[in-house]
Amino acid sequence: MISEFIREQHRYTQRDICRIMHCSEDKVVPLIRRLKEFGVLKSVKYTDEQKNMSDLLDEDVAVTDVVEGDDEYLYVITFVGVIVVAGRVLKCYPKYLPPNRTPQKELQQILKVLEKYNSKEQIISIFNDSSEGSTFNLLAVLLFLLQDYYENGVYTTTEDIVESNGFGEILWDKTINETFTLISENRPYYIDLQTKKRVTNDHDYFKRLHECVLTKASKELKEAGLLDLFEITDIDLTDEELDDFGDVEYILYRLEQELNTQFNTRKQLLLKTIYTYISQNGNLYDMDCLSLFGTNSFNLVWEHICADIMNNKLDTPLGAIKLPVPLKPEYDRKQKLIDLIEKPLWTATGKTAADTLIPDLISIAKVGTKWQFIIFDAKYYVPKLRAGTPPTRQPGIESVTKQYLYQLAYQKFIEDHEFDAVKNCFLLPTENKEIEDRGEVSMAMLHRLGLQNIQVRFLPAEMAYEHYLSGKIMDIGLLGL
């Protein structure tokens, strides 16, 4: 199976896509249309400026059909993760990693991050939706089946049997009514105790079917080169084929019957997934196949990771936050930090609007002997910050001004609780191994109001992911704020 790395937000020509897909221009056109249909690839007008950009703006997206040999447009992958389309595996890595690389190790870690990030949803994305319909997400189903197996084992059914003098639970009613009793000094003694034993049926139809499906799923992922990428061990449990279990209609009928009698939540989910897998009868080589594992919004993933490892306090009740001094009595202990931000009042109505400023995350930390109130903004950008040249690809003016306003919104709370310092900071991902101090962003008119300029820190993505996956809080002192 064709398997290639492709960089998020990089600009590719149609010839580049042909090279990546290993096909001619006439064959690549329907593949590009398929990717555009499901929103993982977009096109922009070809310009020298666009060729060198790293972020895709909505106003730059061109709504146009794909034409063979068209050099007017550039194509942009807006996805991080794995895409399988018509027997081709596209391993999409984030834009902060340099182009023209094969970042196998980095993407393995990123896929683990995406698995943890998506686990809170507790659902399987069996179908991918688009404006023109939906497609069976075979990759998500295959991954679920293998991960479920390693967590819970093979599908089992058990039955209770009665044996004499076993090691299981004693069945006293059965023992008293059905066995010989000895009486000594008016006390009954039972020579044979009837006991209950629960055994697994190794020849159960559904256990064998599950083993067959797992073996088939593992083989398909192995041929696609995805077992190594997802760091999953190969599974080979049986030599049986699906045809050995009857035709498709019979297998689905048996699964329906089992679902009607099965009330275990995990087993119900597993049976439904196997049912869908068999009824769809797809494989990763199908021309109609488009499977996705990942996200179109890696910026949200980066924000979530930073909030997690920096011990975000935005949604923590004030009474549960450790402060330099005890919480002042005018503050409600049940109120949260996010609730302290003022909402705009519309005097014509006498009511405030629902929307207001919402920071990404706020940390309260004691760094050395100093209590710091730190307002972080996790920015998924790849800026070029070179001495003597104007910045490019940087967060916009609205991000800068909002960051100043966040401090203004919390100024009274900060003063009331005697913090030693207030810090503003942008956190941006980098492929480098060390935290980089990249100066600060300043606006003199806002700094003159007593507001802190915004520190810029490039945070090693690998380090952030390691903390996130292990559930560790990062030492904020390492940022050198």
Side-chain angles (χ1 to χ4, degrees), residues 116-125:
K116 181 173 180 179
Y117 178 78
N118 291 328
S119 65
K120 62 181 184 291
E121 297 181 7
Q122 298 292 314
I123 59 171
I124 314 168
S125 300

Side-chain angles (χ1 to χ4, degrees), residues 109-117 301 305 465 468-469:
Q109 187 186 43
I110 289 163
L111 292 175
K112 289 180 182 176
V113 167
L114 291 172
E115 285 177 21
K116 181 173 180 179
Y117 178 78
V301 179
I305 289 168
Y465 300 155
Y468 176 65
L469 292 171

Side-chain angles (χ1 to χ4, degrees), residues 440-458:
E440 62 183 26
V441 186
S442 64
M443 293 188 71
M445 63 179 177
L446 295 174
H447 186 65
R448 284 194 291 269
L449 295 177
L451 303 178
Q452 295 297 311
N453 293 333
I454 303 154
Q455 305 292 315
V456 180
R457 297 292 183 271
F458 283 15

Side-chain angles (χ1 to χ4, degrees), residues 407-422:
Q407 181 185 347
L408 199 58
Y410 284 109
Q411 194 69 33
K412 183 178 184 302
F413 180 82
I414 293 166
E415 293 172 355
D416 285 346
H417 295 93
E418 303 176 21
F419 281 89
D420 297 300
V422 183

Side-chain angles (χ1 to χ4, degrees), residues 198-436:
R198 181 162 291 178
V199 296
T200 301
N201 183 357
D202 289 331
H203 301 287
D204 178 71
Y205 180 89
F206 301 102
K207 177 179 181 292
R208 291 169 40 239
L209 177 64
H210 187 206
E211 290 174 338
C212 174
V213 168
L214 286 169
T215 303
K216 190 171 183 291
S218 176
K219 182 179 179 181
E220 192 158 7
L221 288 173
K222 185 176 183 179
E223 290 175 352
L226 291 175
L227 283 182
D228 289 340
L229 191 61
F230 284 93
E231 298 185 90
I232 299 175
T233 305
D234 191 12
I235 298 173
D236 187 4
L237 300 174
T238 181
D239 293 327
E240 289 187 284
E241 300 289 340
L242 280 178
D243 291 343
D244 298 331
F245 295 86
D247 59 26
V248 172
E249 288 76 14
Y250 176 73
I251 297 173
L252 297 180
Y253 168 76
R254 290 292 303 268
L255 287 167
E256 288 173 359
Q257 295 299 108
E258 180 73 1
L259 271 167
N260 289 335
T261 60
Q262 183 55 255
F263 300 102
N264 179 284
T265 303
R266 177 256 167 175
K267 288 185 176 181
Q268 279 190 335
L269 180 59
L270 178 59
L271 289 168
K272 289 176 182 177
T273 306
I274 294 173
Y275 184 99
T276 304
Y277 173 71
I278 293 173
S279 65
Q280 292 295 322
N281 193 31
N283 69 71
L284 296 176
Y285 289 91
D286 283 349
M287 289 304 295
D288 292 334
C289 172
L290 189 143
S291 290
L292 306 171
F293 181 90
T295 178
N296 280 91
S297 306
F298 200 74
N299 61 307
L300 300 180
V301 179
W302 179 246
E303 289 174 12
H304 177 79
I305 289 168
C306 290
D308 192 79
I309 67 174
M310 296 297 175
N311 200 13
N312 182 26
K313 297 296 185 182
L314 265 181
D315 292 312
T316 303
L318 298 179
I321 299 175
K322 192 172 182 180
L323 300 169
V325 298
L327 185 70
K328 299 294 182 179
E330 62 263 33
Y331 293 91
D332 184 347
R333 295 179 61 83
K334 296 180 181 178
Q335 202 174 23
K336 300 175 181 178
L337 268 179
I338 189 67
D339 301 325
L340 298 183
I341 298 179
E342 185 180 353
K343 296 178 180 179
L345 172 66
W346 291 79
T347 58
T349 67
K351 299 290 184 180
T352 57
D355 295 335
T356 188
L357 297 167
I358 303 177
D360 277 357
L361 63 133
I362 289 177
S363 294
I364 292 175
K366 193 173 184 180
V367 181
T369 60
K370 304 288 187 181
W371 279 93
Q372 293 186 353
F373 188 96
I374 310 169
I375 307 163
F376 286 113
D377 199 358
K379 288 297 182 187
Y380 186 57
Y381 286 77
V382 188
K384 283 191 175 181
L385 305 175
R386 295 174 181 169
T389 62
T392 57
R393 306 178 183 176
Q394 79 282 7
I397 183 65
E398 72 286 347
S399 297
V400 175
T401 54
K402 280 198 297 185
Q403 199 67 14
Y404 277 109
L405 289 175
Y406 295 147
Q407 181 185 347
L408 199 58
Y410 284 109
Q411 194 69 33
K412 183 178 184 302
F413 180 82
I414 293 166
E415 293 172 355
D416 285 346
H417 295 93
E418 303 176 21
F419 281 89
D420 297 300
V422 183
K423 301 293 181 180
N424 261 326
C425 184
F426 284 154
L427 293 174
L428 300 98
T430 177
E431 80 279 7
N432 296 329
K433 303 298 182 184
E434 302 292 333
I435 297 172
E436 298 177 48

Side-chain angles (χ1 to χ4, degrees), residues 11 44-55 57 60 74 392-393:
R11 272 55 171 172
V44 296
K45 194 78 173 174
Y46 192 113
T47 65
D48 290 338
E49 183 183 10
Q50 273 292 339
K51 186 71 177 171
N52 296 315
M53 291 184 70
S54 68
D55 294 303
L57 304 176
D60 293 333
L74 296 168
T392 57
R393 306 178 183 176

